[in-house]
Amino acid sequence: MKVRTLVINGLLAALYIAVSALIVPFGFTNIQFRISEIFNHLIVFDKRYFFGIVLGVFLYNLLFSPLGWYDLVFGVAHSAISLAIIILLAKYIKNIWVLLVANTLVFTFNMFIVAFELNLALELPFLFTWFTTAVGEFAVLAIGIPIIYALNKRLQFNKLI
């Protein structure tokens, strides 16, 4: 891995943690609005953002999660699996808008992983928790599509890394 890629991913992980820390109470319950999830859209522009996103999720959960190892396993798995699916889809889908929408839908659907975690850790009802966490994920990522797209016009995410 090039030094530039390593530095950019380190900064991305730090940004993920900093933005997530702003809304700590709303990042771990059955109603989640992690604004930092908007960074998941970076994977659409370059698969090398994978490491920064996953590291950010891991460190944030390690430092702030009241659920301990549950969030380290399930939260990180949710991100890693969802990002891997988008990396795979990007091999076949070249339209950025379609990939951004697919990313939103994949992350939203895969919230069943987090719902399962919350069912195990807090005995919250699985289906209702899947619904509430998915709504939060969908809202953040859907609002994030035009934001990330506009930022990409200015910053060209595929050339930063």
Side-chain angles (χ1 to χ4, degrees), residues 38-55:
I38 194 172
F39 295 127
N40 293 334
H41 283 314
L42 293 177
I43 202 73
V44 167
F45 301 99
D46 196 308
K47 65 183 177 186
R48 291 175 291 180
Y49 288 112
F50 178 91
F51 302 106
I53 297 167
V54 172
L55 181 62

Side-chain angles (χ1 to χ4, degrees), residues 75-93:
V76 173
H78 168 259
S79 294
I81 291 167
S82 299
L83 292 168
I85 290 169
I86 296 304
I87 290 169
L88 180 66
L89 288 176
K91 291 181 180 184
Y92 304 101
I93 302 170

Side-chain angles (χ1 to χ4, degrees), residues 28-148:
F28 298 106
T29 63
N30 61 332
I31 299 174
Q32 296 189 8
F33 288 97
R34 274 195 197 182
I35 299 165
S36 53
E37 289 289 289
I38 194 172
F39 295 127
N40 293 334
H41 283 314
L42 293 177
I43 202 73
V44 167
F45 301 99
D46 196 308
K47 65 183 177 186
R48 291 175 291 180
Y49 288 112
F50 178 91
F51 302 106
I53 297 167
V54 172
L55 181 62
V57 172
F58 176 81
L59 291 174
Y60 177 68
N61 288 346
L62 179 68
L63 296 170
F64 296 102
S65 176
L67 300 177
W69 72 268
Y70 284 105
D71 255 341
L72 291 176
V73 172
F74 292 99
V76 173
H78 168 259
S79 294
I81 291 167
S82 299
L83 292 168
I85 290 169
I86 296 304
I87 290 169
L88 180 66
L89 288 176
K91 291 181 180 184
Y92 304 101
I93 302 170
K94 300 304 176 195
N95 184 295
I96 295 297
W97 283 102
V98 173
L99 275 173
L100 288 167
V101 170
N103 192 46
T104 300
L105 297 175
V106 166
F107 268 89
T108 299
F109 176 79
N110 284 347
M111 286 305 282
F112 76 86
I113 297 169
V114 174
F116 182 68
E117 168 198 354
L118 294 172
N119 177 261
L120 287 175
L122 303 175
E123 298 181 4
L124 295 175
F126 174 76
L127 288 176
F128 183 70
T129 303
W130 185 10
F131 173 75
T132 57
T133 56
V135 166
E137 188 78 358
F138 181 82
V140 169
L141 289 173
I143 291 168
I145 289 174
I147 294 168
I148 288 293

